Structures are given as C-alpha cells and as structure tokens.
Amino acid sequence: MRHASLAQFLKRDRSALRAGPVALVLVEDDVEVASTLHHHLDRGFAQVIALMPPGFPLPEGLQDRVHRIDHTLGPDAPFEAAVNAVIRAAPGCWLYYCFNAEYLFYPFCETRSVGEMLAFHAEERRDAMLAYVVDLYADDLARDPGAVSRERAHLDRAGYYALARTDAAGQPCERQLDVFGGVRWRFEEHIPPERRRIDRIALFRAKPGLTLRSDHTFSDPEYNTYACPWHHNLTAAVCSFRTAKALKANPGSSERIATFRWHNSEPFEWNSRQLLDLGLIESGQWF
C-alpha cells in the first residue's frame, strides 16, 4: 500500500486511522528499516505507517502489512509536522511515533499487545504515556563502525537522572521531569543542549487542538506528565540506535569516539524484564 504523499494518504485512506493504536515510523535513512517495522507489527499495532524517502524500497514481505508513504524528513519537513498532520486527521485514536532503528518496549510486551496495555492505561484516565529513549550501541566499533548491531547491542545500566522541569517563569511544572542519561549524557559535548533529554511522550491519544512540538513535548501540559496525581502509571521505553548512529555518522564526533562501551555497559537482552529490573520502565498498577 503505497501513497505518494502524506496529504494523499490522509485524503484517500484516512479510514486506516479509525482503529488504533497506530504506529508512525519516521524513516531517516536505510538502517534497520525492516527490523523496526517488523518489531512494531509484532507489538500488535492495528496499523503501521512508514513515512519513507521516495527512493527507499519497502522491505520485502511488508507491502501488504504496512502503509508506505513517500515522505522525506528535513528542515522544511520536520518530524513534528508529519505527526501533527496525523493528529488532526485522527481525533480519538491512540498514536505512537518513532524513527527507524528504534524499538518500543513496555511491561510484559512479550505476552501482551500494545492495545491491551493502552486499554488499561486509558482506564486510569490517562491519554498519554511517558517513554524513555534508551540508547543502544554496538559494543565493537571496529566490527560495526556505524554503531548499529542488533546481535551485539548494549545499553547503559546506570547514569540516568531527572531534573524538575520549569516553565518560562522558572516555576516547577507539575508532574513533569527533564530526564537525561545514556549516550547523550556521556557524550553531551557533541549533542546540542536542546537534544540531550531522553524523555519522550511516545504514546498518546489524538484530540482536536493537540500539537507535538520539536522537543517531543505537547501543547497540553497534562500530556507531558509522568503520572496522574494519585499513583504511578505505566511507562515505556524506546530502545534506540539513533543517537549512537548519528554520532558515528557525524565527522566532527565520529573521530573522537573510539567506543561507546564503559564500565556500566551491558548487553541488551531485547526483553522487557531487563528494562523493568533496571528501572527503565514502570509497570504501575498493571500486573
């Protein structure tokens, strides 16, 4: 199912957005496109939509399972513009967005679909879910100079911290945090300050007037909160090669990074149990 543009898709086939949850995969390059799409199909999304540059082929076997939209991200087409177009077209639908080489994990995702998880989350009167972008990286850059290897993926087991988020007047924002850690923290001299946070509201319910901003926060402050006022809620993780990949693709940083490994690195096991044990996702009241 190929569409020449996002506008064409929203005009002719927006019925695909009626039954959520819907995953939007924003493809920036040709790295791990197939694994990203397969991973989110396996999570149980009702629809998976891939926004890809026109010259990129959709991986074999996915033509009948994925809506492929010709779309090139760039300064004139930022990711939030594409997500906001879908928000306007799909009020009430649960949406998720990520980039290629990113993978969603939530508590018990091996046995429960994303739809089941969001049904519980909605029963707790929540319309958005906080996720942490957990950096993944290859352990041996001589073997994998692009820093991407699913078979030898590592993550940081420590080094994460949060600061209270403040508004323009310097006052604390209720139940909002700026979270840091991972590769962006360890190599922060190569990361612009506005891109160092690892918190992202990756799952949310679209509604009229809602807009996503370039810093991965929403126009509705309640969507940016980590929990409701009365108890902890579910959280998720987006396990991502994106930062390590970018640091090795950038000539200014690549030559200064011989390895991403340090004493707090450990192999990524590709399961939610490891993330729960490390405190990187929270099951809340869902058991």
Side-chain angles (χ1 to χ4, degrees), residues 7-286:
Q8 182 192 87
F9 169 75
L10 295 176
K11 181 178 180 180
R12 298 181 180 178
D13 208 7
R14 65 191 298 171
S15 60
L17 302 173
R18 290 176 185 164
V22 172
L24 307 175
V25 178
L26 305 163
V27 177
E28 300 176 297
D29 53 35
D30 61 356
V31 176
E32 293 294 343
V33 175
S35 68
T36 305
L37 295 174
H38 279 293
H39 178 88
H40 293 96
L41 286 166
D42 291 344
R43 292 284 78 82
F45 283 96
Q47 304 286 347
V48 173
I49 299 171
L51 288 84
M52 306 171 61
F56 284 21
L58 189 66
E60 189 174 349
L62 291 172
Q63 287 78 7
D64 295 330
R65 304 182 66 195
V66 172
H67 291 273
R68 183 255 169 79
I69 297 172
D70 290 346
H71 187 87
T72 302
L73 297 173
D76 296 327
F79 76 90
E80 68 271 19
V83 176
N84 285 329
V86 177
I87 290 173
R88 290 191 294 270
C93 181
W94 277 98
L95 300 174
Y96 161 81
Y97 75 96
C98 72
F99 301 87
N100 58 298
E102 295 191 328
Y103 309 89
L104 175 67
F105 286 84
Y106 50 85
F108 324 121
C109 63
E110 293 78 17
T111 56
R112 302 185 193 181
S113 72
V114 66
E116 292 176 278
M117 185 265 293
L118 290 175
F120 175 83
H121 198 57
E123 289 174 358
E124 295 197 314
R125 290 182 284 169
R126 296 289 288 168
D127 290 322
M129 180 180 292
L130 174 65
Y132 301 115
V133 180
V134 177
D135 289 322
L136 301 179
Y137 46 88
D139 66 332
D140 184 350
L141 295 180
R143 180 180 182 275
D144 299 293
V148 178
S149 172
R150 285 176 53 83
E151 295 75 20
R152 301 179 66 91
H154 282 59
L155 51 68
D156 288 2
R157 62 172 171 255
Y160 302 94
Y161 68 98
L163 300 175
R165 182 175 295 163
T166 56
D167 60 21
Q171 298 301 308
C173 298
E174 182 183 0
R175 290 173 287 119
Q176 296 187 42
L177 296 171
D178 291 334
V179 184
F180 304 89
V183 168
R184 300 187 202 202
W185 169 62
R186 291 195 283 121
F187 297 92
E188 65 177 9
E189 66 272 22
H190 303 297
I191 308 289
E194 66 274 12
R195 296 183 181 177
R196 292 175 186 169
R197 291 177 22 248
I198 64 169
D199 52 275
R200 182 192 298 177
I201 307 301
L203 291 145
F204 61 95
R205 198 200 307 263
K207 68 175 183 178
L210 181 71
T211 57
L212 175 66
R213 299 182 288 221
S214 61
D215 65 352
H216 299 283
T217 64
F218 283 91
S219 55
D220 183 341
E222 186 61 28
Y223 273 59
N224 302 323
T225 59
Y226 55 82
C228 62
W230 49 88
H231 64 63
H232 290 298
N233 294 112
L234 280 156
T235 60
V238 178
C239 296
S240 171
F241 287 107
R242 188 173 180 237
T243 298
K245 175 166 61 83
L247 288 171
K248 290 305 294 181
N250 187 318
S253 56
S254 180
E255 63 182 18
R256 300 185 182 184
I257 301 174
T259 182
F260 287 110
R261 291 196 65 178
W262 66 318
H263 63 279
N264 278 318
S265 295
E266 70 173 55
F268 182 40
E269 299 172 4
W270 294 97
N271 63 57
S272 61
R273 183 72 262 167
Q274 180 186 26
L275 298 168
L276 282 162
D277 291 344
L278 292 173
L280 293 172
I281 58 177
E282 165 73 52
S283 61
Q285 313 301 308
W286 197 39

